[in-house]
Amino acid sequence: MHLTPRRRKILPALALAAGLALGLGACGGSAGSSSASGGVAQDSVGSAPREAEGSGASAPDAAKGGAGAVTATEQKIIRRADISVLVKDVGAAAETVRAIATTAGGTVTNEMLSTYSGDSTDLSGSVTISVPSDKLDDTMKRLAELGDVVSRTTSSDDVTGQYVDTESRLATMRASVDRVRGLMAQATKIEDIVALESELSRRQADLEALEAQLRSLKDQVAMSPITVQLSADRSQLADSGGGFLSGLKAGWKAFTASVVVLLTALGALLPFLVAIAVIVVPLVWFLRERNRRRTAASAASVAPRPAAPMPAPPVGSADSVATAADPADASEPKA
C-alpha cells in the first residue's frame, strides 16, 4: 500500500496514542483489583464480630430453605388425651393404669385418689401417665377396657415451625459462639479479650437457653400425657364437665373434707390441751389467790388507827372537886 507523506506523519502519532491507552487500562485494572482484594481482607478482619452478630438474620432463612423437605415430610406434633372411665374398683383400676403405662414404656406423672365419705366405694380420682406418642392410640384402647367409657378426648398441636426455627437458631448460635472463640484465640490486647469474654458469656447463655427449649420440644413431641379419670359413681364423672351443680357438689365435698381435717387435727391436739389445762389452771388459781391476799394485807396496813382515850384526872384534885360541885352552888357567892 502506498503511503503519502501526510499519512506517514499521522501513523506514529496514532501508535503512540494506542500504546498510552493500553498502558493506562492495564494500570487501572491492576489498581482496581488490588484495592478490591484489600477491601475484602480488611472486611474479613475488621468486621468479623459484625458478621457473627448479623449472621443470625441470614442463617435462619438459609436453614429454613434447606429444611423445607424435612418440614414437609416429618411433622412435629404434640399430642395429649383425657379419658373418664366408670369402674367397679377404683383402687384396682388405678393399679392397672400404672401397669399399662409401664408396659407402653411410659411413667406415672401424677396420681390423686380420695374419698369424702370414708367409704372405700366412694373412692375416686385421677391418674396422669405419659407414654410415647406412637403408642398413644394403643394405650387409649387398653384404658377403655377398664370399664365403661363416659368421655374421651384427644388433642394435638403442630409445632413443626417452632421446632425448625429453634433448630435453625441453635445452629446459628453455635456457629456464632465458635467464631467468638476463634477471635479470642487471636486477640492480643487485654481490652479486646475482656470484651470478647463478655460477648462469649452472653452468647453461651443464649445457646444454653435455645438448647433447653429444643429439649423441651423434643420431650413434648416424643411423650404424650394421658389423664385418666376413675370413679365408681357415674354422676361424679358426668359432673366433671362443669356447671352450677358440679361446682356446688365440688364445694360441698371440699367443705366436708375441710371439716374432717379440722376435726382430725382437733382430736390429735386434745390430749395435749388437757395436759396443759391440768398444769395451767391450778397455777393460775394459785397466783390469783396470792395476789388477792397481798392486796388485802396492803389495805390493812394503810388503814388509819383510832385515837387513844384521854386519861382521867387524879382523885382529889381541884379540877375533880370543881367538876363534882353543884353548878348552882358554884354560881352563887358565899355569904
Side-chain angles (χ1 to χ4, degrees):
M1 182 177 70
H2 181 70
L3 297 176
T4 62
R6 185 176 180 180
R7 291 181 177 179
R8 289 177 182 177
K9 293 180 180 180
I10 295 175
L11 284 177
L14 293 175
L16 179 62
L20 291 174
L22 291 174
L24 291 174
C27 292
S30 61
S33 61
S34 62
S35 62
S37 61
V40 171
Q42 182 179 3
D43 189 31
S44 62
V45 175
S47 63
R50 293 194 302 271
E51 179 187 357
E53 188 71 29
S55 59
S58 59
D61 297 335
K64 288 179 181 178
V70 177
T71 305
T73 58
E74 184 180 355
Q75 289 185 336
K76 303 298 180 181
I77 306 296
I78 297 177
R79 303 182 65 191
R80 62 185 64 88
D82 298 313
I83 185 171
S84 299
V85 185
L86 182 65
V87 297
K88 296 181 179 179
D89 189 347
V90 176
E95 186 67 26
T96 305
V97 171
R98 300 188 204 103
I100 292 174
T102 304
T103 304
T107 58
V108 178
T109 59
N110 188 23
E111 181 176 346
M112 184 181 65
L113 301 177
S114 59
T115 178
Y116 298 100
S117 62
D119 188 3
S120 59
T121 58
D122 194 29
L123 185 66
S124 63
S126 63
V127 180
T128 303
I129 61 176
S130 181
V131 298
S133 297
D134 55 351
K135 296 183 179 180
L136 176 63
D137 297 332
D138 182 65
T139 303
M140 291 292 288
K141 291 179 181 179
R142 298 187 60 184
L143 291 173
E145 297 174 357
L146 294 173
D148 297 334
V149 178
V150 177
S151 63
R152 173 176 176 172
T153 58
T154 304
S155 60
S156 61
D157 296 329
D158 189 354
V159 294
T160 307
Q162 183 180 358
Y163 191 93
V164 173
D165 180 68
T166 304
E167 279 188 332
S168 175
R169 292 170 59 193
L170 186 59
T172 301
M173 188 56 65
R174 284 173 179 169
S176 178
V177 169
D178 292 339
R179 281 194 293 270
V180 175
R181 287 176 178 171
L183 292 175
M184 285 185 62
Q186 298 176 1
T188 56
K189 296 181 180 180
I190 297 298
E191 55 272 16
D192 294 341
I193 295 175
V194 171
L196 289 172
E197 285 182 348
S198 176
E199 184 67 17
L200 180 61
S201 300
R202 183 181 67 83
R203 299 191 183 192
Q204 189 70 31
D206 295 340
L207 177 62
E208 293 175 358
L210 288 174
E211 288 176 347
Q213 183 178 353
L214 185 61
R215 284 195 301 269
S216 177
L217 284 175
K218 287 182 178 179
D219 293 340
Q220 294 179 31
V221 171
M223 305 295 291
S224 297
I226 304 175
T227 301
V228 185
Q229 297 284 343
L230 300 172
S231 179
D233 187 2
R234 181 179 292 271
S235 62
Q236 293 183 358
L237 297 177
D239 292 341
S240 61
F244 175 76
L245 295 178
S246 176
L248 183 61
K249 186 175 182 179
W252 175 253
K253 288 185 177 181
F255 173 74
T256 54
S258 301
V259 171
V260 170
V261 172
L262 181 60
L263 294 177
T264 303
L266 182 61
L269 293 175
L270 186 60
F272 298 95
L273 296 177
V274 172
I276 293 173
V278 170
I279 298 174
V280 172
V281 170
L283 180 61
V284 171
W285 179 85
F286 173 75
L287 294 176
R288 292 183 63 182
E289 187 67 20
R290 187 179 65 176
N291 291 335
R292 187 183 64 79
R293 291 178 181 178
R294 287 182 178 179
T295 303
S298 300
S301 62
V302 175
R305 297 180 180 179
M310 295 294 292
V315 179
S317 62
D319 294 338
S320 63
V321 173
T323 304
D326 188 3
D329 296 340
S331 60
E332 294 181 357
K334 293 182 179 181

